[in-house]
Amino acid sequence: MILLDGKKISDEIKSEIKVSVEKLIRKKERPPHLAAILVGDDGASLTYIASKIRSCDQVGFKSSLFRYNSDISENDLIKKIEDLNINREIDGFIVQLPLPKHINEQKVLLSIDPRKDVDGFHPTNFGKMALGLKSFIPATPYGIMKLIEKYDIETEGKSCLVVGRSNIVGRPMSILMSLRGRYGNSTVTLAHSKSKNLAELTKKADIIIMALGIPEFLKYDMIKKDSTIIDVGITRVEDKSKRRGYVIKGDVDFDSVSKKAKFLTPVPGGVGPMTIAMLLQNTLDARL
Ligand code: NDP
């Protein structure tokens, strides 16, 4: 089994980004600037934002965090976004999801200027991506495509099963794998909670991308020998023996699946770090 080392590849990508930033600085231009909006104090969201900010520091980006209480109104939040849309010092920004229930997520995402939408969630970017045009690609699917490219995994004519149809992972992933291109051209099936006989689908797939959020869901007897398995899942599972009180689990039963798969991503250290690297890449592209 070959481990798809997202940590190593993301470090390489970050080094390349750092070189581009240094070139900007040498030309006396300002570095890229990523801003993040965080509403409320959800523990996982705080962790993700902290690691995005740390990564900005690593590559020489400027970063800003705008934090609001969870009772901020939808209108007030949209006003903050409109301020960022016209702020010339900020190249791209993200609104950390999920948002509190009283805020309409789609309305908020629609208010982001697509030119600064480095998460690639705005319909303009999503539509361009679906048409195979240049756009900001959502960071997680973009990171997975990069991993596939870096390990030169054969995708043409292969059967690819994506499990999970969220707008941020599963659905864009299914589109990217079906597009024309060296790393695309797959025959894609998109499964979700209403899909029947999932194990029959997983057993037939050459490539499986798991993005459902159920720890260790995919087991040894559900996959084909020598398949490629990409694990997007991140779930905190209570573990009192750990200092933090939990461990992070992916959607794949790593120990058993690693005995049968050809390529496999670990959790942590697989898709997670790639997601952050591609967010940085999108921000650099927004600056240039
Ligand atoms: P969502 O909860 O938005 O979507 C989950 C999807 O899984 C839904 O489409 C749902 O179906 C489907 N699903 C749920 N149960 C089953 C089942 N039993 N069989 C088949 N499909 C099922 O999750 P996200 O896409 O946002 O995230 C998925 C996982 O990836 C999470 O663990 C999340 O933490 C992680 N994640 C990791 C990232 C990274 O950087 N590594 C980035 C983003 C997310 P339905 O639509 O019918 O409800």
Side-chain angles (χ1 to χ4, degrees):
M1 188 272 297
I2 297 168
L3 200 67
L4 300 176
D5 190 342
K7 173 79 180 67
K8 178 173 145 257
I9 303 292
S10 67
D11 283 344
E12 287 170 17
I13 293 170
K14 285 198 271 187
S15 298
E16 288 164 17
I17 293 174
K18 196 170 174 199
V19 169
S20 301
V21 175
E22 284 161 359
K23 273 190 197 149
L24 280 173
I25 307 286
R26 271 202 301 278
K27 286 197 276 176
K28 306 259 181 278
E29 292 186 33
R30 67 166 178 80
H33 185 172
L34 174 69
I37 291 183
L38 176 62
V39 180
D41 49 14
D42 173 66
S45 294
L46 279 164
T47 311
Y48 295 145
I49 288 280
S51 96
K52 288 169 188 174
I53 289 174
R54 246 191 340 268
S55 299
C56 281
D57 293 342
Q58 280 171 10
V59 298
F61 285 10
K62 194 171 170 204
S63 65
S64 301
L65 174 60
F66 297 91
R67 284 192 73 173
Y68 304 108
N69 290 333
S70 56
D71 61 357
I72 186 172
S73 72
E74 188 178 282
N75 273 344
D76 283 348
L77 181 60
I78 289 175
K79 277 193 200 114
K80 306 284 180 199
I81 289 173
E82 285 165 353
D83 288 344
L84 294 184
N85 282 341
I86 55 170
N87 184 330
R88 286 165 166 264
E89 297 296 308
I90 289 173
D91 302 296
F93 63 96
I94 58 170
V95 178
Q96 185 66 41
L97 302 178
L99 290 169
K101 294 249 175 315
H102 68 279
I103 296 177
N104 180 329
E105 216 162 84
Q106 280 310 320
K107 216 169 147 185
V108 166
L109 296 179
L110 263 172
S111 69
I112 299 175
D113 182 336
R115 288 167 302 184
K116 294 194 175 188
D117 169 41
V118 286
D119 256 341
F121 296 161
H122 190 284
T124 296
N125 283 316
F126 204 92
K128 283 184 174 175
M129 176 200 68
L131 294 169
L133 301 174
K134 194 169 161 32
S135 66
F136 293 122
I137 297 172
T140 302
Y142 193 8
I144 294 171
M145 294 309 292
K146 268 282 166 219
L147 267 183
I148 289 175
E149 182 191 317
K150 294 279 181 182
Y151 283 86
D152 196 24
I153 296 170
E154 194 61 59
T155 58
E156 184 161 317
K158 301 289 180 192
S159 57
C160 172
L161 174 70
V162 180
V163 186
R165 58 177 162 182
S166 73
N167 293 339
I168 62 171
V169 188
R171 192 175 304 279
M173 200 60 237
S174 70
I175 293 170
L176 292 168
M177 290 299 287
S178 71
L179 286 177
R180 284 200 178 87
R182 172 76 181 87
Y183 301 99
N185 283 342
S186 288
T187 306
V188 178
T189 304
L190 180 56
H192 44 76
S193 69
K194 307 289 185 286
S195 299
K196 304 249 186 291
N197 303 325
L198 191 60
E200 295 308 312
L201 299 175
T202 55
K203 272 184 219 163
K204 285 191 197 132
D206 300 308
I207 302 166
I208 304 177
I209 296 160
M210 295 295 289
L212 68 163
I214 303 181
E216 301 182 331
F217 183 94
L218 191 76
K219 311 267 189 217
Y220 181 90
D221 56 2
M222 292 168 76
I223 68 162
K224 184 157 111 174
K225 191 164 177 351
D226 290 335
S227 48
T228 295
I229 314 288
I230 312 270
D231 189 354
V232 184
I234 300 178
T235 307
R236 290 181 177 193
V237 178
E238 193 182 288
D239 184 340
K240 294 220 165 71
S241 72
K242 302 285 178 224
R243 192 176 48 84
R244 291 185 297 188
Y246 64 86
V247 285
I248 299 288
K249 294 268 182 205
D251 290 346
V252 176
D253 178 16
F254 185 91
D255 290 343
S256 74
V257 165
S258 61
K259 296 190 174 79
K260 203 171 181 184
K262 180 167 180 197
F263 294 104
L264 176 60
T265 58
V267 175
V271 175
M274 290 302 294
T275 296
I276 295 188
M278 301 330 284
L279 174 66
L280 298 175
Q281 182 67 57
N282 278 343
T283 307
L284 176 66
D285 292 345
R287 173 74 185 89
L288 297 177

Short mmCIF file of all heavy atoms in Angstrom, two decimals, residues 119-153:
data_model
loop_
_atom_site.label_atom_id
_atom_site.label_comp_id
_atom_site.label_asym_id
_atom_site.label_seq_id
_atom_site.Cartn_x
_atom_site.Cartn_y
_atom_site.Cartn_z
N ASP A 119 -12.71 30.22 -0.97
CA ASP A 119 -13.25 28.89 -0.64
C ASP A 119 -13.94 28.27 -1.86
O ASP A 119 -14.23 27.08 -1.88
CB ASP A 119 -14.27 29.01 0.50
CG ASP A 119 -13.70 28.53 1.84
OD1 ASP A 119 -12.69 27.81 1.82
OD2 ASP A 119 -14.28 28.88 2.88
N GLY A 120 -14.24 29.09 -2.85
CA GLY A 120 -14.87 28.59 -4.08
C GLY A 120 -16.32 28.14 -3.89
O GLY A 120 -16.80 27.29 -4.64
N PHE A 121 -17.00 28.71 -2.91
CA PHE A 121 -18.38 28.27 -2.63
C PHE A 121 -19.44 29.11 -3.35
O PHE A 121 -20.61 28.74 -3.37
CB PHE A 121 -18.68 28.33 -1.12
CG PHE A 121 -17.84 27.39 -0.28
CD1 PHE A 121 -17.69 27.60 1.09
CD2 PHE A 121 -17.20 26.30 -0.85
CE1 PHE A 121 -16.93 26.74 1.87
CE2 PHE A 121 -16.42 25.43 -0.08
CZ PHE A 121 -16.29 25.67 1.29
N HIS A 122 -19.05 30.28 -3.88
CA HIS A 122 -20.03 31.13 -4.57
C HIS A 122 -20.49 30.45 -5.87
O HIS A 122 -19.67 29.84 -6.56
CB HIS A 122 -19.38 32.49 -4.87
CG HIS A 122 -20.36 33.51 -5.34
ND1 HIS A 122 -20.88 33.51 -6.62
CD2 HIS A 122 -20.94 34.55 -4.69
CE1 HIS A 122 -21.73 34.52 -6.75
NE2 HIS A 122 -21.79 35.17 -5.58
N PRO A 123 -21.79 30.58 -6.20
CA PRO A 123 -22.30 29.92 -7.42
C PRO A 123 -21.51 30.28 -8.69
O PRO A 123 -21.40 29.45 -9.60
CB PRO A 123 -23.74 30.42 -7.54
CG PRO A 123 -24.13 30.83 -6.17
CD PRO A 123 -22.88 31.25 -5.46
N THR A 124 -20.97 31.50 -8.74
CA THR A 124 -20.19 31.88 -9.94
C THR A 124 -18.96 30.98 -10.05
O THR A 124 -18.65 30.44 -11.12
CB THR A 124 -19.74 33.35 -9.83
OG1 THR A 124 -20.92 34.14 -9.84
CG2 THR A 124 -18.83 33.76 -10.96
N ASN A 125 -18.25 30.78 -8.94
CA ASN A 125 -17.07 29.92 -8.98
C ASN A 125 -17.46 28.45 -9.16
O ASN A 125 -16.82 27.71 -9.91
CB ASN A 125 -16.25 30.10 -7.70
CG ASN A 125 -15.44 31.38 -7.75
OD1 ASN A 125 -14.83 31.69 -8.77
ND2 ASN A 125 -15.47 32.15 -6.68
N PHE A 126 -18.53 28.06 -8.48
CA PHE A 126 -18.97 26.66 -8.57
C PHE A 126 -19.39 26.35 -10.02
O PHE A 126 -19.03 25.30 -10.56
CB PHE A 126 -20.15 26.43 -7.61
CG PHE A 126 -20.30 25.01 -7.20
CD1 PHE A 126 -19.69 24.54 -6.05
CD2 PHE A 126 -21.04 24.12 -7.96
CE1 PHE A 126 -19.81 23.21 -5.66
CE2 PHE A 126 -21.18 22.79 -7.58
CZ PHE A 126 -20.56 22.34 -6.43
N GLY A 127 -20.11 27.30 -10.62
CA GLY A 127 -20.57 27.10 -12.01
C GLY A 127 -19.40 27.02 -12.97
O GLY A 127 -19.35 26.16 -13.85
N LYS A 128 -18.42 27.92 -12.78
CA LYS A 128 -17.24 27.89 -13.65
C LYS A 128 -16.50 26.57 -13.50
O LYS A 128 -16.07 25.98 -14.49
CB LYS A 128 -16.30 29.06 -13.30
CG LYS A 128 -16.76 30.39 -13.83
CD LYS A 128 -15.69 31.41 -13.48
CE LYS A 128 -15.98 32.75 -14.09
NZ LYS A 128 -15.02 33.76 -13.65
N MET A 129 -16.36 26.13 -12.25
CA MET A 129 -15.68 24.85 -12.01
C MET A 129 -16.39 23.72 -12.76
O MET A 129 -15.76 22.91 -13.42
CB MET A 129 -15.67 24.55 -10.51
CG MET A 129 -15.05 23.20 -10.17
SD MET A 129 -15.56 22.61 -8.55
CE MET A 129 -17.28 22.30 -8.82
N ALA A 130 -17.73 23.73 -12.67
CA ALA A 130 -18.50 22.66 -13.31
C ALA A 130 -18.34 22.67 -14.82
O ALA A 130 -18.45 21.64 -15.48
CB ALA A 130 -19.98 22.77 -12.93
N LEU A 131 -18.09 23.88 -15.37
CA LEU A 131 -17.89 24.00 -16.82
C LEU A 131 -16.44 23.75 -17.22
O LEU A 131 -16.09 23.83 -18.38
CB LEU A 131 -18.33 25.39 -17.29
CG LEU A 131 -19.83 25.70 -17.15
CD1 LEU A 131 -20.10 27.17 -17.38
CD2 LEU A 131 -20.63 24.85 -18.11
N GLY A 132 -15.59 23.52 -16.23
CA GLY A 132 -14.17 23.29 -16.51
C GLY A 132 -13.43 24.58 -16.80
O GLY A 132 -12.35 24.57 -17.40
N LEU A 133 -14.00 25.73 -16.37
CA LEU A 133 -13.33 27.02 -16.58
C LEU A 133 -12.47 27.36 -15.37
O LEU A 133 -12.67 26.80 -14.28
CB LEU A 133 -14.38 28.13 -16.77
CG LEU A 133 -15.35 27.93 -17.94
CD1 LEU A 133 -16.43 29.00 -17.92
CD2 LEU A 133 -14.59 27.96 -19.26
N LYS A 134 -11.54 28.31 -15.56
CA LYS A 134 -10.68 28.71 -14.45
C LYS A 134 -11.52 29.37 -13.35
O LYS A 134 -12.36 30.24 -13.64
CB LYS A 134 -9.63 29.69 -14.98
CG LYS A 134 -8.48 29.92 -14.04
CD LYS A 134 -7.37 30.68 -14.74
CE LYS A 134 -6.40 31.33 -13.78
NZ LYS A 134 -6.16 30.65 -12.52
N SER A 135 -11.32 28.93 -12.13
CA SER A 135 -12.12 29.47 -11.02
C SER A 135 -11.41 29.10 -9.72
O SER A 135 -10.43 28.37 -9.72
CB SER A 135 -13.51 28.84 -11.01
OG SER A 135 -13.41 27.46 -10.73
N PHE A 136 -11.96 29.61 -8.61
CA PHE A 136 -11.48 29.12 -7.32
C PHE A 136 -12.19 27.79 -7.06
O PHE A 136 -13.42 27.74 -6.99
CB PHE A 136 -11.81 30.11 -6.20
CG PHE A 136 -11.05 31.40 -6.31
CD1 PHE A 136 -11.72 32.60 -6.40
CD2 PHE A 136 -9.66 31.40 -6.31
CE1 PHE A 136 -11.02 33.79 -6.50
CE2 PHE A 136 -8.96 32.59 -6.42
CZ PHE A 136 -9.64 33.79 -6.51
N ILE A 137 -11.41 26.74 -6.90
CA ILE A 137 -11.98 25.41 -6.65
C ILE A 137 -12.01 25.20 -5.14
O ILE A 137 -11.03 25.52 -4.45
CB ILE A 137 -11.12 24.31 -7.33
CG1 ILE A 137 -11.13 24.53 -8.84
CG2 ILE A 137 -11.60 22.92 -6.97
CD1 ILE A 137 -10.17 23.64 -9.60
N PRO A 138 -13.13 24.70 -4.60
CA PRO A 138 -13.18 24.47 -3.14
C PRO A 138 -11.95 23.69 -2.67
O PRO A 138 -11.53 22.71 -3.31
CB PRO A 138 -14.48 23.68 -2.96
CG PRO A 138 -15.33 24.06 -4.12
CD PRO A 138 -14.38 24.30 -5.26
N ALA A 139 -11.39 24.14 -1.56
CA ALA A 139 -10.04 23.70 -1.17
C ALA A 139 -9.92 22.19 -0.94
O ALA A 139 -8.88 21.61 -1.29
CB ALA A 139 -9.61 24.47 0.08
N THR A 140 -10.94 21.56 -0.39
CA THR A 140 -10.79 20.12 -0.10
C THR A 140 -10.77 19.30 -1.39
O THR A 140 -9.82 18.52 -1.61
CB THR A 140 -11.90 19.65 0.87
OG1 THR A 140 -11.81 20.43 2.06
CG2 THR A 140 -11.76 18.18 1.22
N PRO A 141 -11.76 19.46 -2.28
CA PRO A 141 -11.66 18.73 -3.55
C PRO A 141 -10.41 19.10 -4.36
O PRO A 141 -9.78 18.24 -4.98
CB PRO A 141 -12.92 19.16 -4.32
CG PRO A 141 -13.85 19.70 -3.30
CD PRO A 141 -13.02 20.22 -2.17
N TYR A 142 -10.01 20.37 -4.31
CA TYR A 142 -8.81 20.82 -5.02
C TYR A 142 -7.60 20.06 -4.46
O TYR A 142 -6.74 19.56 -5.20
CB TYR A 142 -8.67 22.33 -4.80
CG TYR A 142 -7.68 23.07 -5.67
CD1 TYR A 142 -7.03 22.47 -6.73
CD2 TYR A 142 -7.42 24.43 -5.42
CE1 TYR A 142 -6.13 23.18 -7.52
CE2 TYR A 142 -6.52 25.15 -6.19
CZ TYR A 142 -5.88 24.52 -7.23
OH TYR A 142 -4.99 25.24 -7.99
N GLY A 143 -7.53 19.95 -3.14
CA GLY A 143 -6.42 19.24 -2.49
C GLY A 143 -6.39 17.77 -2.88
O GLY A 143 -5.31 17.19 -3.10
N ILE A 144 -7.56 17.17 -2.99
CA ILE A 144 -7.62 15.75 -3.37
C ILE A 144 -7.13 15.59 -4.82
O ILE A 144 -6.36 14.67 -5.13
CB ILE A 144 -9.06 15.20 -3.19
CG1 ILE A 144 -9.42 15.21 -1.71
CG2 ILE A 144 -9.19 13.80 -3.79
CD1 ILE A 144 -10.87 14.92 -1.40
N MET A 145 -7.56 16.51 -5.70
CA MET A 145 -7.11 16.43 -7.09
C MET A 145 -5.58 16.58 -7.16
O MET A 145 -4.92 15.91 -7.96
CB MET A 145 -7.78 17.51 -7.96
CG MET A 145 -9.29 17.35 -8.13
SD MET A 145 -9.85 15.73 -8.67
CE MET A 145 -9.22 15.63 -10.34
N LYS A 146 -5.04 17.44 -6.32
CA LYS A 146 -3.56 17.63 -6.30
C LYS A 146 -2.85 16.37 -5.84
O LYS A 146 -1.83 15.98 -6.39
CB LYS A 146 -3.19 18.76 -5.34
CG LYS A 146 -3.10 20.09 -5.98
CD LYS A 146 -1.77 20.26 -6.75
CE LYS A 146 -1.91 21.47 -7.65
NZ LYS A 146 -1.36 21.46 -8.94
N LEU A 147 -3.42 15.72 -4.81
CA LEU A 147 -2.81 14.47 -4.33
C LEU A 147 -2.81 13.43 -5.45
O LEU A 147 -1.81 12.74 -5.66
CB LEU A 147 -3.63 13.91 -3.16
CG LEU A 147 -3.23 14.27 -1.73
CD1 LEU A 147 -4.13 13.54 -0.75
CD2 LEU A 147 -1.77 13.93 -1.45
N ILE A 148 -3.94 13.32 -6.14
CA ILE A 148 -4.06 12.35 -7.24
C ILE A 148 -3.02 12.66 -8.32
O ILE A 148 -2.35 11.77 -8.84
CB ILE A 148 -5.51 12.39 -7.81
CG1 ILE A 148 -6.47 11.75 -6.79
CG2 ILE A 148 -5.60 11.69 -9.17
CD1 ILE A 148 -7.94 11.83 -7.15
N GLU A 149 -2.85 13.96 -8.59
CA GLU A 149 -1.88 14.39 -9.61
C GLU A 149 -0.45 14.07 -9.15
O GLU A 149 0.34 13.49 -9.89
CB GLU A 149 -2.05 15.89 -9.83
CG GLU A 149 -1.15 16.48 -10.88
CD GLU A 149 -1.20 18.01 -10.84
OE1 GLU A 149 -2.30 18.59 -10.72
OE2 GLU A 149 -0.11 18.62 -10.92
N LYS A 150 -0.13 14.44 -7.90
CA LYS A 150 1.25 14.26 -7.42
C LYS A 150 1.64 12.79 -7.37
O LYS A 150 2.80 12.45 -7.57
CB LYS A 150 1.42 14.88 -6.03
CG LYS A 150 1.26 16.38 -6.01
CD LYS A 150 2.53 17.09 -6.47
CE LYS A 150 2.34 18.60 -6.41
NZ LYS A 150 3.50 19.34 -6.88
N TYR A 151 0.70 11.92 -7.07
CA TYR A 151 1.02 10.48 -7.02
C TYR A 151 0.72 9.80 -8.36
O TYR A 151 0.82 8.58 -8.48
CB TYR A 151 0.25 9.79 -5.88
CG TYR A 151 0.90 10.07 -4.53
CD1 TYR A 151 0.57 11.20 -3.81
CD2 TYR A 151 1.87 9.21 -4.01
CE1 TYR A 151 1.17 11.48 -2.58
CE2 TYR A 151 2.47 9.47 -2.78
CZ TYR A 151 2.12 10.62 -2.08
OH TYR A 151 2.73 10.87 -0.88
N ASP A 152 0.35 10.62 -9.34
CA ASP A 152 0.10 10.16 -10.70
C ASP A 152 -0.84 8.93 -10.73
O ASP A 152 -0.52 7.90 -11.35
CB ASP A 152 1.44 9.83 -11.39
CG ASP A 152 1.28 9.74 -12.90
OD1 ASP A 152 0.32 10.33 -13.43
OD2 ASP A 152 2.10 9.04 -13.55
N ILE A 153 -1.94 9.07 -10.05
CA ILE A 153 -2.91 7.96 -9.98
C ILE A 153 -3.76 7.96 -11.25
O ILE A 153 -4.28 9.01 -11.65
CB ILE A 153 -3.79 8.11 -8.71
CG1 ILE A 153 -2.92 7.98 -7.46
CG2 ILE A 153 -4.92 7.07 -8.71
CD1 ILE A 153 -3.61 8.33 -6.17
#
